[in-house]
Amino acid sequence: MPLTGIEIFKLLPRTNCGQCGVPTCLAFAMNLAAGKAELSSCPHVSEEAKAKLEEASAPPIRPVTIGAGEGQVKIGGETVLFRHEKRFENPTAIAMLVRDDMSDDEIAARLEKFRTLRYERVGLMLKPDMVALEAASGDPERFARVAARVHADTGGAAMVLMSEQPPLLARALEAVPGSRPLLYGVTTENLEAMLELAKAHQASLGVKGNSIDEAIAASQKLLDLGCKNVVLDGGARSLKAAFEEQVAIRRAALLQKFRPLGFPTIVFPCRMTDDPMKEALIAATFIAKYGGIVVLSDLEGHSLFPLLVARLNIFTDPQRPMATSEGIYPIGNPDDKSPVLVTSNFSLTYFIVSGEIENSRVPAWLLVQDTEGLSVLTAWAAGKFVADTIAALVKKSGIADRVSHRKIVIPGHLAAESGALEDELKGWQVLVGPREGAHIPAYLKNWQAA
Amino acid sequence: MSWLAFTIPTITYTGKVKEISLGPPERAVKVGNAGCYPFHLFEGEMGNPPRIAMEVYDVTPEDWPPAAREPFADVLSDPVAWAKKCVDVYGAEMVCLQLVSTDPNGLNRPAGEAAATARRVADALTVPLLVWGSGDVEKDAEVLRQVCEACEGKHLVVGPVQDKNYKKIGAPAIGYRHTVIASTPIDVNLAKQLNILLGNLGVPDELLVMDPTVGGLGYGLEYTYSVMERMRMAALTQQDDRLQFPLVCNLAKEVWKVKEVRLDDPKLGDPGKRGILMEAITAVLLALAGADVLIMRHPEAVRLVRGYLAEMMGVAA
Ligand code: SF4
């Protein structure tokens, strides 16, 4: 809960020295409460008061960073229940399970998949984020060796080290110095030793409760001991119970500002079913509904790709239209006789149009105009995608050097612009294409350069 | 220190989604009736679980990937046999006939032919039938009017009914007692507006469901997802009476046309499983956002989602 001005006032020195720029501590407190001042402006505030004030102003779900360098992953920091209310901040991290009792070949194969199963999509790289390494062999040396292997073979991907035995974890942490993994799981029994390890290695701690109450107990204790890099597991291992648990944690954190649950979560679809297809649906559920980390039993392109795209969709900022950059996009190796089509730079429009051109199997040049992320119809209505702007794009893009013909296809919705565009683009013939992306393949199949 | 056992902070709902009966009264399938957010069973009643309608095309699909064709290879050219296979072999609770052949930008088959097909499928079925036009405003006005007429007494569910043709389709739907699918382009206010217009036209509430317009996975699904969450929020917590209608999501045709279900790339795994999961994951996300009817294609995706919904509803699969 944010503190009131009076509550803040009680934490200040109350000497009214004026060094903060206002004459009294009370005035300063009021400014702080209103977000109009920074605590650092008061040179006399005590460490204890500082800690209390920071605690009170921390986000309702703390952001937690796991890993170091390139492979670092940030989760949590969420402020809303529904993405349309603002946006979701940090995409659910997707982790692949590796057990240290798997054969070396199996481990190598998994790490190979982790490295190679990545997909480029409109300038974004979609890929899995973490490896969750489970100490199943019980042998500290083996666990440490596999940890080092995972670290090396993934180029330092963020890790979850899974064991409830601090000595095992200690050995692995020595093998991967500076890797700052998530240590899972903390129980009320091993809590002190785990906290010590986390402090020594700048690791974060994954609380493992058998119930939400157990998770709260451990997390409260960690908070009391000053630990803030916490990830929560309330222990639910069925789809329905886990869904309920995720909603419960998110709501308690946001609606009640309940600190012990104000942390990102870790969810284990890999423990909820043996059927990999079903596991994918469970994982999708926790990408949409509040999972901080989702641990998958394995990676397969046919399930990983849909999940990565689902995550991209859910974590897109709803307030900002997705945009593609302006320019010429060759689709399917076009040559100087291939058709030229023009469209807006709203990502969805670009996806659909480029996808349909691909479906048509007719190689083409797609000219994308920067319409500030607006769709064809909206951009046209706003005067941002009209004869003038298209003519300017055709001229500056240099498309005339790529093709020998002089025909350009505009979206059906822009039919009214064709006359004006022909006036602006001397020597070009303007063709009116279909209104709907779905009709592009039929249209292109009948297209003639000559 | 000690504390009381934790209880989930609950939300108080002030409204409810209407319950609508689809199909002939004697074998109707009820949809809607949600009194809480999707699957939030710890604080309310979901009413009816999301239902799945399996889709059937009125003309042999030419451009489907092999994985989608394979289960129906023996019936692709016969909508009646296809519909029966969905029910008899795959246990479909409802069927949706997609009248793509009528599309003026495609085959442009006459309305009368489509209406006759709809009638034959309706005659052969014992489950509720949805009939979906090409989406072309003018053509649908003619096609769906004739469908309504030809299928008098069949209690169809017809759409998409849009703001530019709602009178032409709404009137025959009222006359022949079919349910109307009010379709708007991913917009809460437009959806509400169309529902008001349909009400003014005389479409009774019990004959109305909504289509929020579905974007496929990776192709705008997030817009549909959020518009549905907003509609549910308005219906359940802001007592917005004109948004308290069940949501129908025509998703399969959006999913299976995207290029990523067609690509052959080892990094994308098994193409069949990929298509099935693209469809099933889309269905799951839409169900989480508030879908009451999911129009689906692949029997395996249907089976997976059915099991998923049963688990989320807390009933044995
Ligand atoms: S600087 Fe600190 S102690 Fe001095 S008046 Fe401001 S708040 Fe009070």
Side-chain angles (χ1 to χ4, degrees):
Chain A
M1 251 359 129
L3 299 181
T4 64
I6 298 296
E7 283 165 331
I8 297 172
F9 172 65
K10 288 180 183 158
L11 296 168
L12 294 176
R14 288 186 264 179
T15 53
N16 302 334
C17 74
Q19 273 173 268
C20 55
V22 289
T24 64
C25 294
L26 182 60
F28 182 64
M30 291 302 171
N31 283 349
L32 268 183
K36 284 189 273 185
E38 294 284 337
L39 185 62
S40 55
S41 305
C42 168
H44 306 297
V45 66
S46 71
E47 282 306 315
E48 194 202 336
K50 216 185 260 177
K52 277 196 181 148
L53 285 165
E54 269 164 17
E55 173 65 26
S57 61
I61 295 174
R62 285 183 180 277
V64 173
T65 303
I66 302 165
E70 293 268 293
Q72 201 170 68
V73 168
K74 194 172 172 190
I75 55 173
E78 301 300 337
T79 58
V80 293
L81 286 163
F82 299 96
R83 65 187 285 284
H84 67 256
E85 292 173 325
K86 184 158 180 256
R87 64 168 177 272
F88 291 159
E89 296 289 336
N90 291 304
T92 308
I94 294 182
M96 172 185 69
L97 186 71
V98 171
R99 287 193 329 263
D100 73 344
D101 63 347
M102 288 170 173
S103 71
D104 286 347
D105 287 351
E106 166 76 17
I107 291 171
R110 282 180 176 240
L111 297 179
E112 166 81 11
K113 284 195 273 189
F114 184 87
R115 272 197 314 272
T116 54
L117 294 181
R118 43 186 61 200
Y119 312 91
E120 190 164 349
R121 206 163 184 276
V122 271
L124 291 173
M125 186 56 84
L126 308 184
K127 57 181 183 58
D129 313 279
M130 307 179 79
V131 173
L133 174 61
E134 184 179 13
S137 71
D139 171 3
E141 294 313 313
R142 170 77 184 161
F143 188 48
R145 232 178 12 254
V146 179
R149 172 104 196 253
V150 169
H151 187 71
D153 285 10
T154 58
M159 279 192 280
V160 188
L161 295 179
M162 299 171 63
S163 168
E164 285 167 44
Q165 297 175 35
L168 263 171
L169 290 169
R171 182 66 197 88
L173 282 163
E174 282 163 25
V176 283
S179 64
R180 306 174 74 166
L182 173 69
L183 307 179
Y184 170 94
V186 176
T187 63
T188 36
E189 281 86 66
N190 67 13
L191 190 137
E192 276 83 8
M194 293 290 263
L195 182 58
E196 223 166 275
L197 276 180
K199 277 190 179 151
H201 297 273
Q202 294 176 292
S204 23
L205 290 175
V207 162
K208 183 183 184 186
N210 284 314
S211 66
I212 241 180
D213 285 317
E214 269 189 40
I216 293 170
S219 148
Q220 178 65 61
K221 199 149 182 204
L222 287 172
L223 276 173
D224 293 344
L225 294 169
C227 176
K228 289 172 186 140
N229 292 316
V230 175
V231 175
L232 299 170
D233 167 21
R237 290 294 183 268
S238 78
L239 169 63
K240 183 170 184 283
F243 174 77
E244 212 168 290
E245 184 176 292
Q246 293 302 309
V247 174
I249 293 175
R250 176 69 61 98
R251 279 197 187 166
L254 298 189
L255 306 179
Q256 300 178 330
K257 306 282 185 286
F258 184 55
R259 285 289 175 209
L261 294 181
F263 295 106
T265 60
I266 183 166
V267 193
F268 293 91
C270 58
R271 297 275 198 268
M272 299 182 196
T273 175
D274 295 328
D275 174 355
M277 299 291 274
K278 199 168 146 188
E279 185 182 323
L281 304 196
I282 297 174
T285 305
F286 298 114
I287 285 171
K289 293 296 170 187
Y290 315 146
I293 301 171
V294 159
V295 184
L296 301 177
S297 61
D298 198 0
L299 298 180
E300 293 293 349
H302 51 252
S303 50
L304 179 63
F305 178 78
L307 288 174
L308 290 169
V309 175
R311 178 177 72 175
L312 178 69
N313 282 172
I314 295 293
F315 284 85
T316 295
D317 183 350
Q319 283 159 31
R320 199 181 49 204
M322 287 201 299
T324 305
S325 39
E326 182 170 282
I328 304 176
Y329 291 77
I331 299 173
N333 279 324
D335 60 20
D336 66 326
K337 303 226 167 17
S338 302
V340 177
L341 294 87
V342 61
T343 196
S344 76
N345 81 328
F346 178 40
S347 283
L348 200 53
T349 306
Y350 166 77
F351 277 149
I352 291 170
V353 172
S354 61
E356 293 293 354
I357 294 174
E358 252 172 62
N359 281 347
S360 78
R361 297 180 205 282
V362 177
W365 301 97
L366 180 59
L367 264 184
V368 173
Q369 191 207 301
D370 180 359
T371 55
E372 294 164 29
L374 299 176
S375 69
V376 168
L377 210 47
T378 321
W380 175 66
K384 288 175 177 160
F385 191 37
V386 292
D388 284 359
T389 62
I390 297 172
L393 174 67
V394 169
K395 286 173 191 160
K396 81 173 167 204
S397 68
I399 187 67
D401 303 332
R402 310 270 187 114
V403 293
S404 53
H405 63 82
R406 288 292 176 267
K407 288 182 181 179
I408 182 163
V409 182
I410 61 171
H413 285 297
L414 262 56
E417 298 294 317
S418 73
L421 186 55
E422 285 199 343
D423 291 345
E424 301 247 354
L425 281 178
K426 290 285 173 254
W428 284 79
Q429 187 187 348
V430 176
L431 305 172
V432 178
R435 284 164 174 251
E436 299 294 330
H439 301 134
I440 289 176
Y443 178 84
L444 284 182
K445 278 173 192 153
N446 295 319
W447 196 88
Q448 303 277 322
Chain B
M1 77 180 280
S2 74
W3 46 84
L4 297 170
F6 173 77
T7 50
I8 305 184
T10 51
I11 285 178
T12 311
Y13 299 102
T14 51
K16 202 172 186 192
V17 175
K18 294 175 207 305
E19 181 170 64
I20 308 289
S21 281
L22 303 181
E26 64 281 8
R27 38 177 201 265
V29 170
K30 290 185 172 163
V31 299
N33 212 22
C36 62
Y37 289 143
F39 311 109
H40 286 50
L41 296 166
F42 50 87
E43 62 186 5
E45 306 262 339
M46 257 280 264
N48 299 291
R51 313 274 191 188
I52 299 172
M54 287 184 74
E55 61 171 14
V56 161
Y57 284 71
D58 69 336
V59 64
T60 311
E62 298 298 343
D63 55 350
W64 286 13
R69 301 175 64 91
E70 190 267 330
F72 303 109
D74 52 336
V75 293
L76 285 174
S77 60
D78 180 351
V80 172
W82 187 344
K84 289 179 85 157
K85 185 167 190 181
C86 287
V87 177
D88 298 343
V89 179
Y90 300 119
E93 212 173 0
M94 290 188 274
V95 168
C96 176
L97 174 64
Q98 312 263 20
L99 296 175
V100 288
S101 78
T102 61
D103 189 345
N105 294 294
L107 294 175
N108 200 17
R109 295 258 180 88
E113 200 178 300
T117 307
R119 174 74 203 206
R120 282 191 297 125
V121 175
D123 280 341
L125 282 182
T126 53
V127 300
L129 178 64
L130 291 76
V131 177
W132 205 284
S134 65
D136 183 274
V137 168
E138 272 143 46
K139 188 68 182 281
D140 276 354
E142 186 52 27
V143 170
L144 295 178
R145 182 185 66 74
Q146 293 202 28
V147 167
C148 285
E149 201 178 312
C151 298
E152 181 172 13
K154 295 292 179 186
H155 299 268
L156 303 182
V157 186
V158 296
V161 173
Q162 307 179 55
D163 61 353
K164 292 199 179 68
N165 62 15
Y166 77 95
K167 284 185 185 159
K168 288 182 181 151
I169 306 171
I174 302 167
Y176 298 104
R177 288 289 298 173
H178 300 298
T179 303
V180 160
I181 306 167
S183 176
T184 44
I186 320 193
D187 188 294
V188 176
N189 295 322
L190 294 178
K192 188 172 166 176
Q193 182 61 23
L194 181 56
N195 290 348
I196 291 170
L197 291 173
L198 283 164
N200 293 345
L201 184 70
V203 174
D205 283 358
E206 68 267 22
L207 292 184
L208 185 58
V209 292
M210 300 161 70
D211 158 33
T213 301
V214 174
L217 190 59
Y219 291 82
L221 180 66
E222 68 272 34
Y223 299 93
T224 306
Y225 180 89
S226 281
V227 111
M228 287 170 66
E229 286 202 327
R230 289 175 59 201
M231 286 172 176
R232 266 304 128 94
M233 197 176 259
L236 296 173
T237 67
Q238 294 147 21
Q239 291 137 293
D240 200 327
D241 172 66
R242 288 300 92 192
L243 288 171
Q244 291 170 336
F245 295 93
L247 291 162
V248 178
C249 293
N250 197 354
L251 65 105
K253 67 185 175 78
E254 301 304 324
V255 172
W256 287 91
K257 78 176 181 205
V258 312
K259 69 170 186 241
E260 285 91 350
V261 303
R262 296 162 187 278
L263 296 179
D264 231 339
D265 175 352
K267 277 198 329 191
L268 290 167
D270 180 89
K273 288 182 179 166
R274 189 197 322 143
I276 290 164
L277 283 177
M278 294 279 286
E279 179 174 5
I281 286 174
T282 302
V284 160
L285 293 176
L286 292 171
L288 288 169
D292 294 286
V293 178
L294 300 160
I295 299 175
M296 297 184 64
R297 177 175 303 174
H298 200 288
E300 187 53 22
V302 169
R303 194 188 65 82
L304 281 168
V305 173
R306 213 180 261 152
Y308 173 90
L309 295 173
E311 246 180 83
M312 286 294 272
M313 296 298 294
V315 295

